[in-house]
Amino acid sequence: MKRKLTLKLIAKELDVSISTVSKALRDSAEISEDTRQKIKAFAKLYNYKPNNIALSLKNRKTRTIGIIIPQIVHHFFTTVIRGVEQMAREHNYNVIITLSNNDFDKEVLNMELLANGSTDGFILSLSKETMQKDDFRHLTEAIDQGMPVVMFDRIVDEIPCDKVLIDDREGAKLGVNHLIKTGCKKIAIITTEDYITIGKLRTKGYMEALESAGIEVDKDLILKLDAIDELNDKAKARIKHFLKGKDIDGVFTINEIFAVTAAKYIMEADKTIPEDVSIVSFSDGELSQHFVPSLTTVSQHGEEMGRKAAELLINKLERPEEEVEQYTTAYIDTSLIERESTKRVK
Amino acid sequence: MKRKLTLKLIAKELDVSISTVSKALRDSAEISEDTRQKIKAFAKLYNYKPNNIALSLKNRKTRTIGIIIPQIVHHFFTTVIRGVEQMAREHNYNVIITLSNNDFDKEVLNMELLANGSTDGFILSLSKETMQKDDFRHLTEAIDQGMPVVMFDRIVDEIPCDKVLIDDREGAKLGVNHLIKTGCKKIAIITTEDYITIGKLRTKGYMEALESAGIEVDKDLILKLDAIDELNDKAKARIKHFLKGKDIDGVFTINEIFAVTAAKYIMEADKTIPEDVSIVSFSDGELSQHFVPSLTTVSQHGEEMGRKAAELLINKLERPEEEVEQYTTAYIDTSLIERESTKRVK
């Protein structure tokens, strides 16, 4: 056969529609296995070459999702990534990850890198420095240019995009209420400075839980650290000093590093967990699970958060343009995981 | 834009796995004659050329380094990434990360994704499944086509590329010797099955250290698990059962998850660490640092490993073509970090 073989010619030869040929050649399940094989064999026999290498990929984008996170030496972020990976895989998307290292410049560079043709959209949690600077132009610009963005965990309300959050205040209340229910009356909190939204909200939840139970908030029992992901020696020393000789029977911390550090100093002071001092930590990771005693935690369900963020992004990517101008804020429920660091509810 | 035909696309078009395509293209007897012919015909038909990476390599500089790792819920990998990020930043390179999730197909996909114009070269640690399959075609092809690759930690000797390793055997000897020096005589090891190279080498180091000290190797004191990064309930139960009633005074583990799990069961059996049983773990992470008692570990210096891997890659990228045909294997020294889980050396 000398003529260039086209879809039309195949259709004519085999007495089927052009659409059937096209679908069969990209292995569409709409076409019976038998017909598909027949068409593909014919195409192969006569050396059919489509314009594009794979018909199914015509006009397709990168099918890649970018993730920008502050850092990964942090169990929570790794579980979010796991969730994004799962959902992406189910929808046949790739995932690439970049780190801002809690640095504003790096976050901006990463956004440029990912928006530059290698991804269709991205999922982002803000760096500590970006939150301090209060400068989000890099994000709003990308969004204005039509780049779909989903923010999670460390977000800013005013940015017009989809968001996935947990209710930090409710989560903290859940944890502190558990301490109250198990009989604690003098409950301390180890949290962050207020410019870190999650720290601020969790501190608020702690205060509300105490007030609802008729326990007066004591400023001396609140420690605010300028740390979030990793503890330096200075921060450790502040925790040690804060706990020393304090008359407390419960500690609520906004992350697990704060919790295990507090637990260590409590045990060093020959106090027993949970009999003398109970501990509840926000965020559930490897440290909480493997520590002895294992820690009661408020789980953020990072995997679910990642799945939701990916779902929102993929929805945006696969929807006609006129429908994409609405933004969703999805909340993921927290839950309490009871372990050995708290007493049983009486 | 014209799409390049990749292993992934062939697999998708023919509805077979990527691994099947890879094997068929190199005529593996594992694949039926019929399937092989079909795949090869398809590849030929659509002009599949594995060397299309090389075509795009020339005249292209993304100044981006790709990292492919098995997973990130693993402190060691996160420290390696930190090292790569540091060195990359010093040389004005970007870094993007992808995860294989210990899955062969995903590793191949990620390689195609990163080699597809978004990176200049990559740094890789093999997935568990790739090591089990013993199939490295995706890697050797990329290297043949001129893509600079640096492997670290989970590597394969035969692949011609730069490598960054620690001496796992020496590292294990360092750890076991420390147990011996502090008076332990009946030392158990919790390791992995031999197909995981690092497990095999660390087991070898354990045995050599015992033999040098005139202690006979007792097969009953060796537990080999089919796990590496995360412990499922079955693996935990095996550790518990292995330790139960055993007359031992030391445990060496090849990672810290094994170590904290063993420590927990030892303490549950009312034995004291380190007085009754001492513990040394390979690889130094958050768990070892924060556990009570904190764990004596053999540090792999992941950050340094990452820095070295990035340095080797950047050297390759910035050197004239005629000089790049030599491969380096760099060794990063391990060191012992003494903490509370071992006795003082007398």
Side-chain angles (χ1 to χ4, degrees):
Chain A
M1 192 192 244
K2 276 279 148 84
R3 282 177 303 170
K4 180 170 163 39
L5 192 60
T6 61
L7 291 180
K8 193 176 167 186
L9 282 174
I10 298 175
K12 202 180 163 196
E13 283 291 331
L14 299 179
D15 198 25
V16 294
S17 73
I18 289 171
S19 155
T20 299
V21 175
S22 163
K23 282 177 181 161
L25 288 178
R26 63 167 189 264
D27 245 344
S28 162
E30 285 174 62
I31 309 300
S32 76
E33 180 63 33
D34 191 44
T35 306
R36 257 188 280 167
Q37 295 213 334
K38 200 170 76 181
I39 291 169
K40 284 157 85 177
F42 185 87
K44 194 197 276 185
L45 190 65
Y46 292 108
N47 202 23
Y48 170 70
K49 275 183 188 157
N51 292 329
N52 283 333
I53 291 161
L55 292 169
S56 57
L57 286 171
K58 212 172 178 182
N59 300 327
R60 202 175 71 172
K61 299 193 214 162
T62 66
R63 291 198 83 83
T64 300
I65 293 173
I67 301 181
I68 304 175
I69 51 172
Q71 58 127 308
I72 52 168
V73 187
H74 193 305
H75 193 265
F76 168 66
F77 287 120
T78 64
T79 58
V80 174
I81 290 172
R82 185 148 62 183
V84 174
E85 291 263 359
Q86 281 170 10
M87 186 58 80
R89 169 171 263 201
E90 286 165 24
H91 290 82
N92 204 21
Y93 276 80
N94 304 303
V95 176
I96 61 185
I97 305 153
T98 64
L99 308 178
S100 65
N101 295 321
N102 274 319
D103 177 298
F104 176 80
D105 286 358
K106 190 85 194 299
E107 186 175 291
V108 175
L109 286 180
N110 285 339
M111 280 213 35
E112 285 177 353
L113 180 70
L114 296 186
N116 227 354
S118 48
T119 59
D120 296 342
F122 50 86
I123 293 172
L124 169 132
S125 189
L126 290 173
S127 82
K128 180 176 151 182
E129 205 190 7
T130 305
M131 290 186 285
Q132 280 169 316
K133 272 184 190 283
D134 207 24
D135 179 355
F136 313 111
R137 243 177 324 173
H138 54 302
L139 261 172
T140 48
E141 270 173 16
I143 293 166
D144 286 349
Q145 286 156 30
M147 190 78 179
V149 175
V150 178
M151 297 182 84
F152 73 96
D153 196 48
R154 301 182 189 171
I155 65 125
V156 172
D157 280 337
E158 324 67 282
I159 297 176
C161 66
D162 288 336
K163 294 168 189 119
V164 184
L165 290 172
I166 54 158
D167 190 330
D168 286 283
R169 223 169 59 180
E170 282 305 319
K173 278 163 112 169
L174 190 67
V176 176
N177 278 336
H178 187 71
L179 286 168
I180 295 170
K181 270 190 267 177
T182 57
C184 297
K185 292 192 167 58
K186 290 162 283 184
I187 302 168
I189 182 172
I190 305 177
T191 181
T192 66
E193 295 289 354
D194 282 348
Y195 71 84
I196 294 169
T197 317
I198 57 165
K200 185 177 166 184
L201 291 171
R202 291 172 195 178
T203 308
K204 208 173 255 177
Y206 156 83
M207 295 198 284
E208 287 177 8
L210 293 185
E211 281 158 8
S212 307
I215 301 173
E216 208 175 319
V217 174
D218 179 351
K219 289 254 160 80
D220 286 347
L221 298 187
I222 299 175
L223 175 64
K224 289 185 182 177
L225 298 171
D226 187 30
I228 176 160
D229 297 320
E230 282 175 282
L231 271 187
N232 56 25
D233 287 342
K234 201 182 128 206
K236 279 185 204 167
R238 287 194 63 197
I239 292 178
K240 188 173 183 173
H241 182 259
F242 171 74
L243 293 171
K244 205 176 174 185
K246 272 229 164 64
D247 179 27
I248 54 172
D249 56 13
V251 178
F252 178 71
T253 70
I254 67 135
N255 66 39
E256 56 176 354
I257 290 268
F258 292 1
V260 294
T261 307
K264 186 177 163 241
Y265 294 131
I266 289 167
M267 293 192 286
E268 275 181 15
D270 276 331
K271 290 187 180 168
T272 312
I273 301 168
E275 289 73 13
D276 299 325
V277 183
S278 299
I279 299 178
V280 174
S281 166
F282 212 110
S283 95
D284 184 57
E286 282 197 322
L287 282 173
S288 306
Q289 289 161 43
H290 292 289
F291 199 75
V292 179
S294 57
L295 302 181
T296 296
T297 59
V298 177
S299 171
Q300 296 159 283
H301 299 293
E303 207 167 293
E304 212 182 303
M305 227 166 158
R307 289 183 64 88
K308 189 69 196 177
E311 189 192 317
L312 288 171
L313 188 65
I314 292 169
N315 273 347
K316 258 276 120 113
L317 294 174
E318 301 194 341
R319 205 166 284 176
E321 262 176 49
E322 60 271 23
E323 286 180 30
V324 300
E325 283 303 321
Q326 290 156 28
Y327 299 116
T328 308
T329 297
Y331 283 90
I332 304 296
D333 282 338
T334 53
S335 63
L336 191 88
I337 299 182
E338 227 181 311
R339 296 207 185 86
E340 300 162 350
S341 67
T342 46
K343 290 176 273 189
R344 298 300 112 199
V345 179
K346 280 159 203 165
Chain B
M1 189 184 82
K2 213 166 166 183
R3 276 263 161 184
K4 278 184 295 185
L5 189 61
T6 60
L7 293 179
K8 180 186 177 182
L9 286 175
I10 298 176
K12 200 180 165 205
E13 287 294 322
L14 299 180
D15 198 21
V16 295
S17 74
I18 290 168
S19 159
T20 300
V21 175
S22 164
K23 282 177 181 158
L25 289 178
R26 64 158 192 270
D27 254 329
S28 162
E30 283 172 59
I31 309 301
S32 74
E33 181 60 32
D34 189 44
T35 306
R36 253 187 284 165
Q37 293 211 336
K38 196 172 83 182
I39 290 169
K40 284 158 80 178
F42 186 92
K44 193 173 172 198
L45 187 64
Y46 291 112
N47 204 21
Y48 171 67
K49 273 185 196 152
N51 63 344
N52 48 20
I53 293 171
L55 295 176
S56 53
L57 265 181
K58 275 182 189 152
N59 308 322
R60 188 200 60 191
K61 273 276 180 212
T62 64
R63 292 200 83 82
T64 300
I65 293 173
I67 302 182
I68 304 175
I69 51 171
Q71 58 126 310
I72 52 168
V73 186
H74 193 306
H75 193 266
F76 168 66
F77 287 121
T78 64
T79 57
V80 173
I81 289 172
R82 185 148 60 184
V84 173
E85 290 263 0
Q86 283 170 8
M87 186 59 79
R89 168 170 263 200
E90 286 164 25
H91 289 82
N92 204 20
Y93 276 79
N94 305 304
V95 176
I96 60 184
I97 304 153
T98 64
L99 309 177
S100 65
N101 295 322
N102 274 318
D103 177 297
F104 175 80
D105 285 0
K106 189 84 194 297
E107 186 175 293
V108 175
L109 290 181
N110 286 339
M111 280 211 36
E112 287 182 349
L113 180 70
L114 296 184
N116 229 350
S118 48
T119 60
D120 296 344
F122 49 88
I123 293 172
L124 168 132
S125 189
L126 289 173
S127 82
K128 179 176 152 183
E129 204 189 9
T130 306
M131 291 187 283
Q132 279 170 317
K133 274 183 190 278
D134 208 22
D135 181 354
F136 313 111
R137 186 191 168 89
H138 55 300
L139 261 171
T140 49
E141 269 178 9
I143 293 165
D144 286 350
Q145 293 144 33
M147 191 78 181
V149 175
V150 179
M151 296 182 84
F152 74 94
D153 195 49
R154 302 182 188 170
I155 66 124
V156 172
D157 281 338
E158 320 71 281
I159 297 176
C161 66
D162 288 336
K163 293 170 189 117
V164 184
L165 289 173
I166 53 159
D167 191 330
D168 286 283
R169 224 169 60 181
E170 282 306 318
K173 278 162 110 168
L174 190 66
V176 176
N177 279 334
H178 187 71
L179 286 168
I180 295 169
K181 270 191 267 177
T182 58
C184 298
K185 291 190 168 58
K186 290 161 286 185
I187 301 168
I189 182 171
I190 305 178
T191 181
T192 66
E193 295 289 353
D194 283 347
Y195 72 85
I196 293 168
T197 318
I198 58 166
K200 185 177 165 183
L201 291 171
R202 292 172 194 178
T203 308
K204 208 174 253 176
Y206 157 83
M207 296 198 283
E208 287 177 9
L210 293 185
E211 280 157 8
S212 308
I215 301 174
E216 208 177 317
V217 173
D218 179 352
K219 289 255 159 77
D220 287 346
L221 298 187
I222 299 175
L223 175 63
K224 289 185 182 177
L225 297 171
D226 186 29
I228 176 161
D229 297 319
E230 283 175 281
L231 270 188
N232 56 25
D233 288 342
K234 202 182 127 205
K236 280 186 202 164
R238 286 194 63 196
I239 293 178
K240 188 172 184 174
H241 182 259
F242 172 73
L243 293 169
K244 206 177 173 184
K246 272 229 164 66
D247 179 27
I248 53 173
D249 55 13
V251 178
F252 178 72
T253 70
I254 67 136
N255 66 41
E256 57 176 353
I257 290 266
F258 292 0
V260 293
T261 307
K264 184 177 165 239
Y265 294 131
I266 288 166
M267 294 190 286
E268 275 181 14
D270 277 331
K271 289 187 181 168
T272 311
I273 301 169
E275 290 74 12
D276 299 324
V277 184
S278 298
I279 300 179
V280 173
S281 166
F282 212 109
S283 95
D284 185 56
E286 283 197 320
L287 281 173
S288 306
Q289 289 162 44
H290 292 289
F291 199 76
V292 179
S294 58
L295 302 181
T296 297
T297 59
V298 177
S299 172
Q300 297 159 282
H301 299 293
E303 206 166 294
E304 211 181 307
M305 229 166 156
R307 289 185 64 88
K308 189 69 196 179
E311 188 192 318
L312 287 171
L313 188 65
I314 292 168
N315 274 347
K316 236 129 264 141
L317 294 174
E318 301 194 341
R319 206 164 285 178
E321 262 177 52
E322 59 271 21
E323 286 180 30
V324 300
E325 283 303 321
Q326 291 156 27
Y327 299 116
T328 309
T329 297
Y331 282 89
I332 305 296
D333 281 337
T334 53
S335 63
L336 192 88
I337 300 182
E338 227 180 310
R339 297 206 185 87
E340 301 162 350
S341 68
T342 46
K343 290 176 272 190
R344 300 298 113 200
V345 179
K346 280 159 203 165

